[in-house]
């Protein structure tokens, strides 16, 4: 059992869990509910990425990520819902500003600012504790492994898109090379001389000396 003091609020009794199947840490706060911490699945951490650039995520409750989760936290009588992301940099500078949702008549709305501040403080304290643990790097690897099939599918789709773009670019390049070669051949053939059977030019060609005299006046 852990004890946290957040701001001027009462001390929080917390039980910590680590799910190495999904790469998430779960903190059950006595009398409030559970917070699931991990990495944002839409911004997977890369092996060579600076940890301070990681995008973290909190889910309000436990179980499959969604809007309404099991063991959702209740603050000031308001049940928190959904997930939110924040950067590790913001966490390090005490600048995490969360605004959880709540459900009213089947419509999601933001919780009041006071509730949001309390949620931000609790999540910040829990996240700092989680990231300071010696097993957190292995939990991150577990997160990467859990999402690897989806990531692989995503990257395969991107590779296919780029291959199609490259094919179209190669086709376009070949077409324009062909047009350029044809235009070069036209230039190399020289000016076209009118055949004897052609009608006269609509504008008589001025005498070259006349053009030079006119230009010098």
């Amino acid at each position: 059992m852990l004890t946290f003091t957040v701001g001027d609020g009462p001390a929080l009794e917390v039980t910590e869990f680590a799910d190495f199947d999904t790469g998430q840490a779960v903190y059950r706060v006595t009398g409030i509910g559970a917070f699931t911490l991990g990495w944002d699945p839409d911004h997977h951490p890369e092996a060579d990425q600076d940890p301070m650039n990681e995008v973290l995520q909190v889910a309000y409750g436990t179980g499959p990520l969604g809007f309404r989760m099991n063991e959702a936290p209740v603050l000031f009588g308001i049940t928190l819902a959904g997930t939110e992301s924040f950067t590790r940099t913001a966490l390090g500078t005490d600048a995490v500003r969360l605004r959880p949702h709540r459900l009213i008549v089947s419509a999601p709305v933001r919780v009041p600012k006071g509730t949001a501040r309390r949620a931000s403080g609790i999540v910040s304290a829990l996240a700092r504790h989680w990231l300071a643990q010696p097993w957190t790097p292995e939990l991150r690897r577990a997160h990467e492994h859990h999402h690897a099939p989806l990531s692989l599918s995503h990257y395969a789709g991107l590779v296919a898109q780029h291959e199609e773009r490259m094919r179209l670019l190669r086709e376009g390049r070949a077409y324009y090379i062909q047009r350029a070669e044809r235009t070069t051949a036209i230039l190399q053939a020289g000016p076209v001389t009118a055949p004897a059977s052609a009608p006269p030019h609509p504008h008589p060609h001025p005498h070259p000396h006349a053009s030079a005299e006119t230009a010098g006046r």
Side-chain angles (χ1 to χ4, degrees):
M1 183 74 71
L2 306 171
T3 301
F4 291 86
T5 300
V6 179
D8 297 329
L12 304 176
E13 294 185 347
V14 180
T15 306
E16 176 188 35
F17 302 88
D19 185 346
F20 280 83
D21 293 329
T22 62
Q24 296 173 313
V26 176
Y27 287 84
R28 289 189 170 98
V29 183
T30 301
I32 292 179
F35 297 82
T36 298
L37 295 167
W39 291 267
D40 186 331
D42 293 329
H43 299 83
H44 296 308
E46 301 292 345
D48 57 351
Q49 181 183 25
D50 183 343
M52 294 308 295
N53 293 330
E54 293 174 352
V55 180
L56 310 176
Q57 183 183 74
V58 58
Y60 299 110
T62 60
L65 296 180
F67 187 75
R68 304 181 71 172
M69 300 177 65
N70 300 325
E71 303 180 78
V74 179
L75 293 175
F76 306 128
I78 297 173
T79 301
L80 310 186
T83 62
E84 291 190 88
S85 298
F86 54 96
T87 65
R88 189 163 180 168
T89 299
L91 183 66
T93 57
D94 200 24
V96 174
R97 298 291 183 268
L98 302 175
R99 196 72 189 273
H101 282 93
R102 65 186 298 191
L103 191 64
I104 297 181
V105 193
S106 301
V109 297
R110 298 290 185 179
V111 302
K113 291 183 179 180
T115 305
R117 282 194 297 269
R118 182 62 174 165
S120 298
I122 293 174
V123 170
S124 296
L126 298 179
R128 289 192 187 95
H129 179 273
W130 156 53
L131 293 172
Q133 300 312 299
W135 43 262
T136 299
E138 283 71 26
L139 193 69
R140 172 173 148 163
R141 289 176 54 201
H143 165 91
E144 294 172 349
H145 183 270
H146 177 67
H147 289 279
L150 183 60
S151 296
L152 187 60
S153 175
H154 174 66
Y155 292 140
L158 291 176
V159 169
Q161 290 179 20
H162 281 75
E163 287 179 343
E164 177 63 13
R165 291 173 185 170
M166 291 170 64
R167 182 187 68 80
L168 294 174
L169 286 171
R170 285 193 295 268
E171 289 182 355
R173 179 177 181 274
Y175 170 78
Y176 289 118
I177 287 176
Q178 182 183 38
R179 301 300 298 177
E181 290 174 344
R182 182 175 184 276
T183 303
T184 299
I186 291 172
L187 286 173
Q188 292 176 344
V192 178
T193 302
S197 60
H201 195 285
H203 305 291
H205 294 288
H207 192 279
H209 295 295
S211 298
E213 293 173 359
T214 303
R217 290 180 183 176

CSV table of all heavy atoms in Angstrom, one decimal, residues 152-183:
chain,number,residue,atom,x,y,z
A,152,LEU,N,2.8,-3.3,-36.9
A,152,LEU,CA,3.3,-3.9,-38.2
A,152,LEU,C,2.3,-3.8,-39.3
A,152,LEU,O,2.7,-3.4,-40.4
A,152,LEU,CB,3.6,-5.4,-37.9
A,152,LEU,CG,4.2,-6.2,-39.0
A,152,LEU,CD1,5.6,-5.6,-39.3
A,152,LEU,CD2,4.4,-7.7,-38.6
A,153,SER,N,1.0,-3.9,-39.0
A,153,SER,CA,0.0,-3.7,-40.0
A,153,SER,C,0.0,-2.3,-40.5
A,153,SER,O,-0.2,-2.0,-41.7
A,153,SER,CB,-1.4,-4.1,-39.5
A,153,SER,OG,-2.4,-3.8,-40.4
A,154,HIS,N,0.1,-1.4,-39.6
A,154,HIS,CA,0.1,0.1,-39.9
A,154,HIS,C,1.3,0.4,-40.8
A,154,HIS,O,1.2,1.1,-41.8
A,154,HIS,CB,0.2,0.9,-38.6
A,154,HIS,CG,0.3,2.4,-38.8
A,154,HIS,ND1,-0.6,3.1,-39.4
A,154,HIS,CD2,1.4,3.2,-38.5
A,154,HIS,CE1,-0.2,4.4,-39.5
A,154,HIS,NE2,1.0,4.5,-38.9
A,155,TYR,N,2.5,-0.1,-40.4
A,155,TYR,CA,3.7,0.2,-41.2
A,155,TYR,C,3.6,-0.5,-42.6
A,155,TYR,O,4.1,0.1,-43.6
A,155,TYR,CB,5.0,-0.2,-40.5
A,155,TYR,CG,5.2,0.6,-39.2
A,155,TYR,CD1,5.7,-0.1,-38.0
A,155,TYR,CD2,5.0,1.9,-39.2
A,155,TYR,CE1,5.9,0.7,-36.9
A,155,TYR,CE2,5.3,2.7,-38.1
A,155,TYR,CZ,5.7,2.0,-36.9
A,155,TYR,OH,6.0,2.8,-35.8
A,156,ALA,N,3.1,-1.7,-42.6
A,156,ALA,CA,2.9,-2.3,-43.9
A,156,ALA,C,2.0,-1.5,-44.9
A,156,ALA,O,2.3,-1.4,-46.1
A,156,ALA,CB,2.4,-3.7,-43.7
A,157,GLY,N,1.0,-1.0,-44.3
A,157,GLY,CA,0.1,-0.1,-45.1
A,157,GLY,C,0.8,1.1,-45.6
A,157,GLY,O,0.6,1.5,-46.8
A,158,LEU,N,1.6,1.7,-44.8
A,158,LEU,CA,2.4,2.9,-45.2
A,158,LEU,C,3.4,2.6,-46.3
A,158,LEU,O,3.6,3.3,-47.2
A,158,LEU,CB,3.1,3.5,-44.0
A,158,LEU,CG,2.2,4.2,-42.9
A,158,LEU,CD1,3.1,4.7,-41.8
A,158,LEU,CD2,1.4,5.3,-43.5
A,159,VAL,N,4.1,1.4,-46.1
A,159,VAL,CA,5.0,1.0,-47.1
A,159,VAL,C,4.3,0.8,-48.5
A,159,VAL,O,4.8,1.2,-49.5
A,159,VAL,CB,5.7,-0.3,-46.7
A,159,VAL,CG1,6.5,-0.9,-47.9
A,159,VAL,CG2,6.6,-0.1,-45.5
A,160,ALA,N,3.1,0.2,-48.4
A,160,ALA,CA,2.4,-0.1,-49.7
A,160,ALA,C,2.0,1.3,-50.3
A,160,ALA,O,2.0,1.4,-51.5
A,160,ALA,CB,1.1,-0.9,-49.4
A,161,GLN,N,1.6,2.2,-49.5
A,161,GLN,CA,1.2,3.6,-50.0
A,161,GLN,C,2.4,4.2,-50.7
A,161,GLN,O,2.3,4.8,-51.8
A,161,GLN,CB,0.7,4.5,-48.9
A,161,GLN,CG,-0.6,4.1,-48.4
A,161,GLN,CD,-1.1,5.0,-47.2
A,161,GLN,OE1,-0.6,6.1,-47.1
A,161,GLN,NE2,-2.0,4.5,-46.4
A,162,HIS,N,3.6,4.1,-50.1
A,162,HIS,CA,4.8,4.7,-50.6
A,162,HIS,C,5.2,4.0,-51.9
A,162,HIS,O,5.7,4.6,-52.9
A,162,HIS,CB,5.9,4.7,-49.6
A,162,HIS,CG,5.8,5.8,-48.6
A,162,HIS,ND1,4.9,5.8,-47.6
A,162,HIS,CD2,6.5,7.0,-48.5
A,162,HIS,CE1,5.0,6.9,-46.8
A,162,HIS,NE2,6.0,7.7,-47.4
A,163,GLU,N,5.1,2.7,-51.9
A,163,GLU,CA,5.4,1.9,-53.1
A,163,GLU,C,4.5,2.4,-54.3
A,163,GLU,O,5.0,2.5,-55.4
A,163,GLU,CB,5.3,0.4,-52.9
A,163,GLU,CG,6.4,-0.1,-52.0
A,163,GLU,CD,6.3,-1.6,-51.8
A,163,GLU,OE1,5.1,-2.1,-52.0
A,163,GLU,OE2,7.2,-2.2,-51.3
A,164,GLU,N,3.2,2.6,-54.0
A,164,GLU,CA,2.3,3.0,-55.1
A,164,GLU,C,2.7,4.4,-55.6
A,164,GLU,O,2.7,4.7,-56.8
A,164,GLU,CB,0.9,3.0,-54.6
A,164,GLU,CG,-0.2,3.5,-55.5
A,164,GLU,CD,-0.3,2.7,-56.8
A,164,GLU,OE1,0.2,1.6,-56.8
A,164,GLU,OE2,-0.9,3.2,-57.8
A,165,ARG,N,3.0,5.3,-54.6
A,165,ARG,CA,3.5,6.6,-55.0
A,165,ARG,C,4.7,6.6,-55.9
A,165,ARG,O,4.9,7.3,-56.8
A,165,ARG,CB,3.7,7.5,-53.8
A,165,ARG,CG,2.4,7.8,-53.0
A,165,ARG,CD,2.8,8.5,-51.7
A,165,ARG,NE,1.6,8.8,-50.9
A,165,ARG,CZ,1.6,9.2,-49.6
A,165,ARG,NH1,2.8,9.4,-49.0
A,165,ARG,NH2,0.5,9.4,-48.9
A,166,MET,N,5.7,5.7,-55.5
A,166,MET,CA,6.9,5.6,-56.2
A,166,MET,C,6.6,5.0,-57.6
A,166,MET,O,7.2,5.5,-58.6
A,166,MET,CB,7.9,4.6,-55.5
A,166,MET,CG,8.4,5.2,-54.2
A,166,MET,SD,9.3,4.0,-53.2
A,166,MET,CE,10.7,3.7,-54.3
A,167,ARG,N,5.7,4.1,-57.8
A,167,ARG,CA,5.3,3.6,-59.1
A,167,ARG,C,4.7,4.7,-60.0
A,167,ARG,O,5.1,4.9,-61.1
A,167,ARG,CB,4.3,2.5,-59.0
A,167,ARG,CG,3.9,1.8,-60.3
A,167,ARG,CD,2.8,0.8,-60.1
A,167,ARG,NE,1.5,1.5,-59.7
A,167,ARG,CZ,0.7,2.1,-60.6
A,167,ARG,NH1,1.1,2.1,-61.9
A,167,ARG,NH2,-0.4,2.6,-60.2
A,168,LEU,N,3.9,5.5,-59.4
A,168,LEU,CA,3.3,6.6,-60.1
A,168,LEU,C,4.3,7.6,-60.5
A,168,LEU,O,4.3,8.2,-61.6
A,168,LEU,CB,2.1,7.3,-59.3
A,168,LEU,CG,0.9,6.4,-59.0
A,168,LEU,CD1,-0.1,7.1,-58.1
A,168,LEU,CD2,0.2,6.0,-60.4
A,169,LEU,N,5.3,7.9,-59.6
A,169,LEU,CA,6.3,8.9,-59.9
A,169,LEU,C,7.2,8.3,-61.0
A,169,LEU,O,7.6,9.1,-61.9
A,169,LEU,CB,7.2,9.1,-58.6
A,169,LEU,CG,6.5,10.0,-57.6
A,169,LEU,CD1,7.4,10.0,-56.3
A,169,LEU,CD2,6.3,11.4,-58.1
A,170,ARG,N,7.5,7.0,-61.0
A,170,ARG,CA,8.3,6.5,-62.1
A,170,ARG,C,7.6,6.6,-63.4
A,170,ARG,O,8.2,6.9,-64.4
A,170,ARG,CB,8.7,5.0,-61.8
A,170,ARG,CG,9.7,4.8,-60.7
A,170,ARG,CD,10.3,3.4,-60.6
A,170,ARG,NE,9.2,2.5,-60.2
A,170,ARG,CZ,9.0,2.1,-59.0
A,170,ARG,NH1,9.7,2.6,-58.0
A,170,ARG,NH2,8.0,1.2,-58.7
A,171,GLU,N,6.3,6.3,-63.4
A,171,GLU,CA,5.5,6.4,-64.6
A,171,GLU,C,5.5,7.8,-65.1
A,171,GLU,O,5.7,8.1,-66.3
A,171,GLU,CB,4.1,5.9,-64.4
A,171,GLU,CG,4.0,4.4,-64.2
A,171,GLU,CD,2.6,3.9,-64.1
A,171,GLU,OE1,1.7,4.8,-64.0
A,171,GLU,OE2,2.4,2.7,-64.0
A,172,GLY,N,5.3,8.8,-64.2
A,172,GLY,CA,5.3,10.2,-64.6
A,172,GLY,C,6.6,10.6,-65.1
A,172,GLY,O,6.7,11.3,-66.1
A,173,ARG,N,7.7,10.2,-64.5
A,173,ARG,CA,9.1,10.5,-64.9
A,173,ARG,C,9.3,10.0,-66.3
A,173,ARG,O,9.9,10.7,-67.2
A,173,ARG,CB,10.1,10.0,-63.9
A,173,ARG,CG,11.5,10.3,-64.3
A,173,ARG,CD,12.5,9.7,-63.3
A,173,ARG,NE,13.9,10.0,-63.6
A,173,ARG,CZ,14.6,9.2,-64.4
A,173,ARG,NH1,14.1,8.1,-64.9
A,173,ARG,NH2,15.9,9.6,-64.6
A,174,ALA,N,9.0,8.7,-66.6
A,174,ALA,CA,9.2,8.1,-67.9
A,174,ALA,C,8.4,8.9,-69.0
A,174,ALA,O,8.9,9.2,-70.1
A,174,ALA,CB,8.8,6.7,-67.9
A,175,TYR,N,7.2,9.3,-68.6
A,175,TYR,CA,6.3,10.1,-69.6
A,175,TYR,C,7.0,11.4,-69.9
A,175,TYR,O,7.1,11.8,-71.1
A,175,TYR,CB,4.9,10.3,-69.0
A,175,TYR,CG,4.1,11.2,-69.8
A,175,TYR,CD1,3.5,10.8,-71.0
A,175,TYR,CD2,3.9,12.6,-69.4
A,175,TYR,CE1,2.7,11.7,-71.7
A,175,TYR,CE2,3.1,13.4,-70.2
A,175,TYR,CZ,2.5,13.0,-71.3
A,175,TYR,OH,1.8,13.8,-72.1
A,176,TYR,N,7.4,12.1,-68.9
A,176,TYR,CA,8.0,13.5,-69.2
A,176,TYR,C,9.4,13.4,-69.9
A,176,TYR,O,9.8,14.2,-70.7
A,176,TYR,CB,8.1,14.3,-67.9
A,176,TYR,CG,6.7,14.7,-67.4
A,176,TYR,CD1,6.2,14.3,-66.2
A,176,TYR,CD2,5.9,15.5,-68.2
A,176,TYR,CE1,5.0,14.7,-65.8
A,176,TYR,CE2,4.7,15.9,-67.8
A,176,TYR,CZ,4.2,15.5,-66.6
A,176,TYR,OH,2.9,15.8,-66.2
A,177,ILE,N,10.1,12.3,-69.6
A,177,ILE,CA,11.4,12.1,-70.3
A,177,ILE,C,11.1,11.9,-71.8
A,177,ILE,O,11.8,12.4,-72.7
A,177,ILE,CB,12.1,10.9,-69.8
A,177,ILE,CG1,12.8,11.3,-68.4
A,177,ILE,CG2,13.2,10.4,-70.7
A,177,ILE,CD1,13.4,10.1,-67.7
A,178,GLN,N,10.0,11.1,-72.1
A,178,GLN,CA,9.6,10.9,-73.5
A,178,GLN,C,9.2,12.2,-74.2
A,178,GLN,O,9.6,12.4,-75.3
A,178,GLN,CB,8.5,9.8,-73.5
A,178,GLN,CG,8.0,9.5,-74.9
A,178,GLN,CD,6.8,8.6,-74.9
A,178,GLN,OE1,5.9,8.7,-74.0
A,178,GLN,NE2,6.8,7.6,-75.8
A,179,ARG,N,8.5,13.0,-73.5
A,179,ARG,CA,8.0,14.3,-74.1
A,179,ARG,C,9.2,15.2,-74.3
A,179,ARG,O,9.3,15.9,-75.3
A,179,ARG,CB,7.0,14.9,-73.1
A,179,ARG,CG,5.8,14.1,-72.9
A,179,ARG,CD,5.0,13.8,-74.1
A,179,ARG,NE,4.5,15.0,-74.8
A,179,ARG,CZ,3.9,15.0,-75.9
A,179,ARG,NH1,3.6,13.9,-76.5
A,179,ARG,NH2,3.5,16.2,-76.5
A,180,ALA,N,10.2,15.2,-73.3
A,180,ALA,CA,11.4,16.0,-73.4
A,180,ALA,C,12.2,15.6,-74.6
A,180,ALA,O,12.7,16.4,-75.4
A,180,ALA,CB,12.2,16.0,-72.2
A,181,GLU,N,12.4,14.3,-74.8
A,181,GLU,CA,13.1,13.8,-76.0
A,181,GLU,C,12.5,14.1,-77.3
A,181,GLU,O,13.2,14.5,-78.2
A,181,GLU,CB,13.3,12.2,-75.8
A,181,GLU,CG,14.2,11.8,-74.7
A,181,GLU,CD,14.2,10.3,-74.5
A,181,GLU,OE1,13.3,9.6,-75.1
A,181,GLU,OE2,15.1,9.8,-73.8
A,182,ARG,N,11.2,14.1,-77.3
A,182,ARG,CA,10.5,14.4,-78.6
A,182,ARG,C,10.7,15.9,-78.8
A,182,ARG,O,10.9,16.3,-80.0
A,182,ARG,CB,9.0,14.1,-78.5
A,182,ARG,CG,8.2,14.4,-79.7
A,182,ARG,CD,6.8,13.9,-79.6
A,182,ARG,NE,6.0,14.2,-80.9
A,182,ARG,CZ,5.5,15.3,-81.2
A,182,ARG,NH1,5.6,16.4,-80.4
A,182,ARG,NH2,4.9,15.4,-82.4
A,183,THR,N,10.6,16.8,-77.8
A,183,THR,CA,10.8,18.2,-78.0
A,183,THR,C,12.2,18.5,-78.4
A,183,THR,O,12.4,19.4,-79.2
A,183,THR,CB,10.4,18.9,-76.6
A,183,THR,OG1,9.1,18.6,-76.2
A,183,THR,CG2,10.6,20.4,-76.8
